Amino acid sequence: MSAPQWLDAWDPSDGAERAAASFRTRFGTEPDGIWSAPGRVNLIGEHTDYNGGLCLPINLPHRTYVALRRTFRSGPGGADVEEVRLASAQEPDAGVWSSTLADIGPGTVTGWPAYAAGVAWALRREVDTLGGFDAVVDSCVPYGAGLSSSAALECAFAVALDDAFHLDFGADDAGRAILAAACIRAENEIAGAPTGGMDQSSSLRATAGHALLLDCLDNSVRHVPFDLEASGLALLVVDTRAEHQLSDGQYAARRATCDAAAAQLGVVTLREVDPGALEEALAGLTDDVVTADVARRRVRHVVTEIARVTELVALLDAGRPGDIGPLLDASHISLRDDYEVSCVELDLVVESARAAGALGARMTGGGFGGSAIALVEVDRVGAVAAAVADAFAAQELTAPAFLVAHASDPASRTV
Ligand code: ADP
Ligand code: MG
């Protein structure tokens, strides 16, 4: 028997105090405030965002905290030199990174500061009222686990800069969509990571007690009630701790295949393919880019996955969260067999959780490692986690880590 390792979320007041204490140590003064943003986990709708599809993330109780202070350092002529200084408790060896707003741009920032400085760069494209600042980060969002520590970092900076420089985007959902777009630009153009828009939209726009139904065609959202506790259920998240080197190239390959298939079908995005006419659409794919068999399976995943999101939302709207298990299972099989983005560890979580009584389970996130989710009756959480941990130990795999997710608050000021 191997005891499961649990990744507990910090209480927000503890997270804020940690960030404030690090800020005092680094910069010898008090921050103007503490802001925080959550990681997310996607319930269903995987690899649909870049196909103009639907996805359904919830925010985790795990958050990234940013302590930030506006600064003014006068340069020649007395103007602010707009210096940016950044440090992270998760990157202690990197020390304090510094630059100026004018020097931040595509290709000028490497490593973790790209995610934070990138947000300042992107917001600067929207407004000219941003100036210099010092900031320190601390976080309990698992790193690189497919739970979007990168978006949590970006979105914490987005709300911090928005508030500290009175940009006023954070006050309503339309403004938060603008902040999300700035965070996506930061990740794509400054950090150089190709991602769709799900993570940042969730962290900024999803609310407590709700999943976010995000329509990636027009970025419109609907808040769908998601209260598992009331139904005696829990969402168990398992970080496999596996990261397969394939992931970047495979992600790009999947996107390219979807784009080529859409072009061949004469649609802008695969969202336009009617699930009821899927077989005819698949017959229209030929061997141009990849083999037709591969293209057909990729398209079938995307089209059926978007339909599963709609079905799952209907069950939640009907107050039947206990019935979503089969859709989670079907999503996993589609990702494993048709989209081919699962891996040994993700399949093992799904199989061992199901064998221990989970009502449904699937990989979540981009795949090739990262995390999986399982829908579990509350009093079975410990037993299912133990069974998954045992299955990993039996195969001599790195021990996974566990957390329980409930739909939590979006990015905001904490103190
Ligand atoms: P995920 O978003 O799934 O956790 P990513 O690879 O997209 O994984 O993002 C992880 C990267 O984001 C880290 O390697 C680091 O550069 C940056 N990052 C995330 N959280 C922090 C943090 N608290 N401090 C510094 N960098 C962070
Ligand atoms: Mg990420």
Side-chain angles (χ1 to χ4, degrees):
M1 291 289 286
S2 42
Q5 288 175 46
W6 291 93
L7 300 169
D8 294 328
W10 296 340
D11 186 85
S13 57
D14 292 344
E17 189 36 52
R18 292 173 78 120
S22 300
F23 189 94
R24 285 182 213 111
T25 307
R26 288 285 185 187
F27 297 120
T29 178
E30 287 294 319
D32 292 339
I34 315 289
W35 293 262
S36 66
R40 62 92 192 97
V41 66
N42 191 24
L43 296 177
I44 199 159
E46 218 64 76
H47 286 279
T48 55
D49 56 354
Y50 53 85
N51 287 301
L54 304 170
C55 53
L56 192 69
I58 62 168
N59 284 332
L60 295 175
H62 301 67
R63 302 177 77 86
T64 292
Y65 296 83
V66 169
L68 183 141
R69 182 185 176 93
R70 287 177 64 157
T71 57
F72 184 93
R73 292 189 189 88
S74 58
D80 183 9
V81 294
E82 299 183 333
E83 187 178 32
V84 176
R85 297 194 297 177
L86 304 170
S88 168
Q90 280 66 53
E91 299 279 354
D93 298 341
V96 176
W97 177 88
S98 69
S99 185
T100 62
L101 282 182
D103 287 330
I104 298 168
T108 67
V109 191
T110 54
W112 84 267
Y115 297 90
V119 175
W121 168 84
L123 286 174
R124 192 64 184 273
R125 252 117 221 97
E126 301 290 332
V127 294
D128 54 15
T129 47
L130 228 58
F133 61 91
D134 291 341
V136 170
V137 178
D138 206 345
S139 177
C140 63
V141 181
Y143 236 60
L147 301 174
S148 220
S149 68
S150 60
L153 178 58
E154 292 150 8
C155 297
F157 269 92
V159 289
L161 294 170
D162 180 64
D163 206 6
F165 290 97
H166 309 296
L167 311 184
D168 223 20
F169 290 122
D172 60 20
D173 186 67
R176 283 174 171 258
I178 294 171
L179 293 180
C183 292
I184 295 163
R185 285 197 73 178
E187 182 139 354
N188 291 342
E189 297 176 52
I190 306 299
T195 56
M198 167 171 61
D199 307 352
Q200 296 81 359
S201 298
S202 184
S203 189
L204 283 157
R205 301 173 73 189
T207 56
H210 296 86
L212 186 78
L213 175 60
L214 173 67
D215 186 330
C216 301
L217 259 192
D218 60 5
N219 277 324
S220 60
V221 298
R222 180 158 84 77
H223 302 280
V224 183
F226 188 71
D227 181 4
L228 292 182
E229 284 88 352
S231 302
L233 299 167
L235 190 72
L236 179 65
V237 180
V238 185
D239 170 9
T240 62
R241 299 264 169 95
E243 200 190 344
H244 295 279
Q245 291 309 319
L246 286 170
S247 53
D248 282 358
Q250 294 286 351
Y251 180 85
R254 295 300 178 283
R255 284 189 80 142
T257 300
C258 290
D259 289 347
Q264 212 170 58
L265 295 172
V267 294
V268 179
T269 67
L270 294 178
R271 174 72 175 281
E272 290 171 53
V273 177
D274 175 2
L278 179 58
E279 292 308 321
E280 290 118 82
L282 297 184
L285 293 169
T286 57
D287 277 347
D288 276 4
V289 181
V290 290
T291 63
D293 169 60
V294 170
R296 287 186 189 123
R297 287 187 290 120
R298 305 295 189 252
V299 171
R300 186 166 60 196
H301 165 71
V302 172
V303 174
T304 59
E305 182 78 353
I306 293 170
R308 281 187 287 274
V309 178
T310 305
E311 283 181 61
L312 196 147
V313 166
L315 288 172
L316 294 181
D317 281 336
R320 294 170 52 197
D323 292 337
I324 67 174
L327 290 167
L328 302 181
D329 293 340
S331 172
H332 186 75
I333 291 166
S334 179
L335 287 157
R336 184 190 66 194
D337 297 346
D338 276 348
Y339 221 60
E340 295 182 282
V341 290
S342 190
C343 62
V344 168
E345 293 85 350
L346 289 167
D347 292 342
L348 188 59
V349 175
V350 168
E351 281 152 28
S352 54
R354 297 271 297 130
L359 303 174
R362 61 179 288 269
M363 56 159 280
T364 183
F368 302 109
S371 296
I373 55 173
L375 181 71
V376 180
E377 284 161 356
V378 154
D379 54 10
R380 296 283 302 158
V381 167
V384 171
V388 174
D390 283 347
F392 272 60
Q395 305 223 0
E396 297 181 3
L397 295 166
T398 304
F402 299 85
L403 57 95
V404 173
H406 50 86
S408 302
D409 289 316
S412 66
R413 185 166 188 150
T414 304
V415 180

